[in-house]
Amino acid sequence: MQTIKNYINGELIEPIGKTYIDNYNPSIGKVYSLIPDSDERDVELATQAALQAFPKWSITPKGERSAILLKIADLITKNLERLAVAESVDNGKPVSLAKLIDIPRAASNFHFYATGILHYAAESYAMEDTAINYTLRNPVGVAGCISPWNLPLYLFTWKIAPALASGNCVVAKPSEITPMTAYLLSELCIEAGLPKGVLNIVHGYGHKVGAAISAHPKIPLISFTGGTKTGAEIARVAAPMFKKLSLELGGKNPNIIFADCDYENMMKTTLHSSFSNQGQICLCGSRIFVEKSIYEKFKTDFVDRVNKMKVGNPADPDSRLGAVVSKPHMEKVLSYIELAKQEGGTILCGGNQVKVEGEFADGYYIAPTVIEGLTYNCRTNMEEIFGPVVTIMPFETEEEVMMYANSTQYGLASILWTENLTRAHRIANNLHTGIVWINCWLLRDLRTPFGGVKNSGVGREGGFEAFDFFTEPKNVCIKLK
Ligand code: NAD
């Protein structure tokens, strides 16, 4: 059985406590590797290594930092197949999805920020002939990066790459549910020649490792992606220490479909935005609002297409959905389907665990589920389920659907389908979300600001926003006479 190691001070080492956590392959429901059960002692070791590496890394010329990060990007691309299979085994997602999205995006994250840093500039303000102000943007020091299980390497690298490119050293913690590709990344960092201590990866539980990173007095900055409750706990600890915080949290995104949409394009994309990665993407559109005049047609066509989506072995190229990430998560999603029934919902398709034959019999599979007949403000429509479950609801007017769309505590992303340009711009302006996709979904330009409003988070990632976060601005004012 493979044993994952921590990556501290350039070496792959055992946790100080020498204890391990079982790591499950969700597609077969069995333990297949061991994860270090690290604690605050390992975080301390990692932080000391990062502090030691910082002075040199922070003044290493941008071009040299960039070259090393580009090597890491290349190595991820070279190992695409191996990383995609590892991601699928660890997470349950189809290998085809990991090959198409997760791993290429991890390489792009490094490539994007390795080149982005070469173009990052700070502003200057001239006060006529009295003085000149200019801003220095220095790295903050040791950055704490904590990431979730749904897009493991994709989201892990989305934080680490800009942190390193801008000259910080990093203590990072991947999710204990999906640690494998972060471990493989540590091997690639060694191969790429990343100086020791610049990146440190400490594996283990959130309440031990994550909490120790959040509370560490020498880690002045935390970049976190995960659940809203965890984000609140991190803020409770880190805010009184005046740490810089970026929190990317949960969502309950609306998908608004008007009768004048490009129907076939909408239908194809809505299948993706509902069920990609088993619905475990924070950006999935789980509340589908359909204009009344096409509601019955949409319902028939959508349910028909959902029924044809194959659930099963993630390595089978025909599988559209693999396993959800863990047994507790499967039970949580199934409990929400029960709640939907109690709240008066009708299950139009799915609604159950799927038993896959043979070696996959103990895997955590859920049929893609479509529910109708619920009110916009019931718990099923207000709380994040984070699984292959969507609700569909008719609406008659724009005012009505805007009220529905904006009614949750969340505000991450929204999706809008209409060919009416004026309406599209008006609605985009009035949606309370950080991201609006019009006639598309998950189309990502890495230069754009990424993040949510309300309980979906604080701050923005992406493009120069990330460099702004991972650096501290200092204004220098020079009097000219
Ligand atoms: P989670 O909050 O349970 O865990 C996320 C990370 O935080 C893990 O590494 C975990 O070990 C760690 N953690 C747990 N307790 C901690 C603590 N007390 N202190 C510090 N760290 C702690 O989230 P999850 O279940 O892994 O991921 C699913 C959630 O992530 C969903 O809510 C989803 O919407 C959200 N998400 C958001 C985005 C976004 O960009 N906004 C992207 C992906 C996922």
Side-chain angles (χ1 to χ4, degrees), residues 256-284:
I256 303 168
I257 300 167
F258 280 92
D260 70 349
C261 68
D262 171 347
Y263 191 81
E264 185 47 35
N265 187 12
M266 175 280 294
M267 181 58 67
K268 250 180 28 208
T269 309
T270 295
L271 289 168
H272 286 297
S273 65
S274 302
F275 300 116
S276 269
N277 206 36
Q278 298 71 246
Q280 302 165 136
I281 301 181
C282 54
L283 305 162
C284 279

Coordinates of all heavy atoms in Angstrom, one line a residue, residues 256-284:
I256 N -30.5 30.3 -15.0 CA -31.8 30.9 -15.4 C -31.9 30.8 -16.9 O -31.1 31.2 -17.7 CB -31.7 32.4 -15.1 CG1 -31.5 32.6 -13.6 CG2 -33.0 33.1 -15.5 CD1 -31.1 34.0 -13.2
I257 N -33.0 30.1 -17.3 CA -33.2 29.8 -18.7 C -34.5 30.5 -19.3 O -35.6 30.2 -18.8 CB -33.4 28.2 -18.9 CG1 -32.1 27.6 -18.4 CG2 -33.7 27.9 -20.3 CD1 -32.2 26.1 -18.2
F258 N -34.3 31.4 -20.2 CA -35.4 32.1 -20.8 C -35.8 31.3 -22.1 O -35.0 30.6 -22.8 CB -35.0 33.5 -21.2 CG -35.1 34.4 -20.0 CD1 -34.0 34.7 -19.2 CD2 -36.3 35.1 -19.6 CE1 -34.1 35.5 -18.1 CE2 -36.4 35.9 -18.5 CZ -35.3 36.1 -17.7
A259 N -37.0 31.5 -22.5 CA -37.6 30.8 -23.7 C -36.9 31.1 -25.0 O -36.8 30.3 -25.9 CB -39.1 31.1 -23.8
D260 N -36.2 32.3 -25.0 CA -35.6 32.7 -26.3 C -34.1 32.2 -26.4 O -33.4 32.7 -27.2 CB -35.6 34.3 -26.4 CG -34.7 34.9 -25.4 OD1 -34.2 34.3 -24.5 OD2 -34.5 36.1 -25.5
C261 N -33.8 31.3 -25.5 CA -32.3 30.9 -25.5 C -32.1 30.0 -26.8 O -33.0 29.5 -27.4 CB -32.0 30.1 -24.3 SG -32.9 28.5 -24.2
D262 N -30.8 29.8 -27.0 CA -30.3 28.8 -28.0 C -30.5 27.4 -27.4 O -29.7 27.0 -26.6 CB -28.9 29.1 -28.4 CG -28.2 28.0 -29.3 OD1 -28.8 26.9 -29.4 OD2 -27.1 28.3 -29.8
Y263 N -31.6 26.8 -27.7 CA -32.1 25.7 -26.9 C -31.1 24.5 -26.8 O -30.8 24.0 -25.7 CB -33.5 25.2 -27.4 CG -34.2 24.2 -26.5 CD1 -34.9 24.6 -25.4 CD2 -34.1 22.8 -26.8 CE1 -35.5 23.7 -24.6 CE2 -34.8 21.9 -25.9 CZ -35.5 22.4 -24.9 OH -36.1 21.5 -24.0
E264 N -30.6 24.1 -27.9 CA -29.7 22.9 -27.9 C -28.4 23.2 -27.2 O -27.9 22.4 -26.4 CB -29.4 22.5 -29.4 CG -28.6 21.2 -29.5 CD -29.1 20.0 -28.7 OE1 -30.3 19.9 -28.4 OE2 -28.2 19.3 -28.2
N265 N -27.8 24.4 -27.4 CA -26.6 24.8 -26.7 C -26.9 24.8 -25.2 O -26.1 24.3 -24.4 CB -26.2 26.1 -27.2 CG -24.9 26.6 -26.7 OD1 -24.1 25.8 -26.1 ND2 -24.5 27.8 -26.9
M266 N -28.0 25.4 -24.8 CA -28.4 25.5 -23.4 C -28.5 24.1 -22.8 O -28.0 23.8 -21.7 CB -29.8 26.2 -23.3 CG -30.3 26.3 -21.9 SD -31.2 24.8 -21.4 CE -32.6 24.8 -22.6
M267 N -29.2 23.2 -23.5 CA -29.5 21.8 -23.0 C -28.1 21.1 -22.8 O -27.9 20.5 -21.7 CB -30.4 21.1 -24.0 CG -30.8 19.7 -23.6 SD -31.6 19.6 -22.0 CE -33.2 20.4 -22.4
K268 N -27.3 21.1 -23.8 CA -26.0 20.4 -23.7 C -25.2 21.0 -22.5 O -24.6 20.2 -21.7 CB -25.2 20.7 -25.0 CG -25.1 19.4 -25.8 CD -24.3 19.4 -27.1 CE -23.2 20.4 -27.4 NZ -23.1 20.7 -28.8
T269 N -25.1 22.3 -22.4 CA -24.3 22.9 -21.4 C -24.9 22.7 -20.0 O -24.2 22.5 -19.0 CB -24.1 24.4 -21.6 OG1 -23.7 24.6 -23.0 CG2 -23.1 25.1 -20.7
T270 N -26.3 22.7 -19.9 CA -26.9 22.5 -18.6 C -26.7 21.1 -18.1 O -26.6 20.9 -16.9 CB -28.4 22.8 -18.8 OG1 -28.6 24.2 -19.1 CG2 -29.2 22.6 -17.5
L271 N -26.5 20.1 -19.0 CA -26.2 18.8 -18.5 C -24.8 18.9 -17.8 O -24.6 18.3 -16.7 CB -26.1 17.8 -19.6 CG -27.5 17.4 -20.2 CD1 -27.3 16.6 -21.5 CD2 -28.3 16.6 -19.2
H272 N -23.9 19.6 -18.4 CA -22.5 19.8 -17.8 C -22.6 20.6 -16.5 O -22.0 20.2 -15.5 CB -21.6 20.5 -18.7 CG -21.1 19.7 -19.9 ND1 -20.4 18.5 -19.7 CD2 -21.3 19.8 -21.2 CE1 -20.1 18.0 -20.9 NE2 -20.7 18.7 -21.8
S273 N -23.3 21.7 -16.5 CA -23.3 22.6 -15.4 C -24.0 22.0 -14.2 O -23.9 22.4 -13.1 CB -23.9 24.0 -15.7 OG -25.2 23.9 -16.1
S274 N -24.9 21.0 -14.5 CA -25.6 20.3 -13.4 C -24.8 19.1 -12.8 O -24.8 18.9 -11.6 CB -26.9 19.7 -13.9 OG -27.7 20.7 -14.5
F275 N -24.1 18.3 -13.7 CA -23.6 17.0 -13.2 C -22.1 16.8 -13.4 O -21.6 15.7 -13.1 CB -24.4 15.9 -13.9 CG -25.9 16.0 -13.6 CD1 -26.8 16.2 -14.6 CD2 -26.3 15.9 -12.3 CE1 -28.2 16.3 -14.2 CE2 -27.7 16.0 -11.9 CZ -28.6 16.2 -12.9
S276 N -21.4 17.8 -14.0 CA -19.9 17.6 -14.1 C -19.3 17.3 -12.8 O -19.7 17.9 -11.8 CB -19.3 18.8 -14.7 OG -19.2 18.8 -16.0
N277 N -18.3 16.4 -12.7 CA -17.7 16.1 -11.5 C -18.7 15.6 -10.4 O -18.5 15.9 -9.2 CB -16.8 17.3 -11.0 CG -15.7 16.9 -10.1 OD1 -15.0 15.9 -10.4 ND2 -15.4 17.7 -9.1
Q278 N -19.7 14.9 -10.9 CA -20.8 14.5 -10.0 C -21.5 15.6 -9.2 O -21.9 15.5 -8.1 CB -20.3 13.4 -8.9 CG -19.8 12.2 -9.5 CD -18.4 12.4 -10.3 OE1 -18.4 12.2 -11.5 NE2 -17.4 12.7 -9.5
G279 N -21.5 16.8 -9.9 CA -22.1 18.0 -9.3 C -21.3 18.6 -8.2 O -21.7 19.5 -7.5
Q280 N -20.1 18.1 -8.0 CA -19.2 18.6 -6.9 C -18.2 19.7 -7.4 O -17.0 19.6 -7.3 CB -18.4 17.4 -6.4 CG -19.3 16.3 -5.9 CD -18.5 15.0 -5.6 OE1 -18.7 14.4 -4.6 NE2 -17.6 14.6 -6.5
I281 N -18.8 20.7 -8.1 CA -18.0 21.9 -8.5 C -18.8 23.0 -7.8 O -20.0 23.2 -8.0 CB -17.9 22.1 -10.0 CG1 -17.2 20.8 -10.6 CG2 -17.1 23.3 -10.3 CD1 -17.0 20.9 -12.1
C282 N -18.0 23.9 -7.1 CA -18.7 25.0 -6.5 C -19.4 25.9 -7.4 O -20.3 26.7 -7.0 CB -17.6 25.8 -5.7 SG -16.3 26.4 -6.8
L283 N -19.1 25.8 -8.7 CA -19.8 26.6 -9.8 C -21.0 26.0 -10.5 O -21.6 26.6 -11.3 CB -18.7 27.0 -10.8 CG -17.5 27.6 -10.2 CD1 -16.3 27.6 -11.2 CD2 -17.7 29.1 -9.8
C284 N -21.3 24.7 -10.1 CA -22.4 24.0 -10.7 C -23.7 24.8 -10.5 O -23.9 25.4 -9.4 CB -22.6 22.6 -10.1 SG -21.4 21.4 -10.9

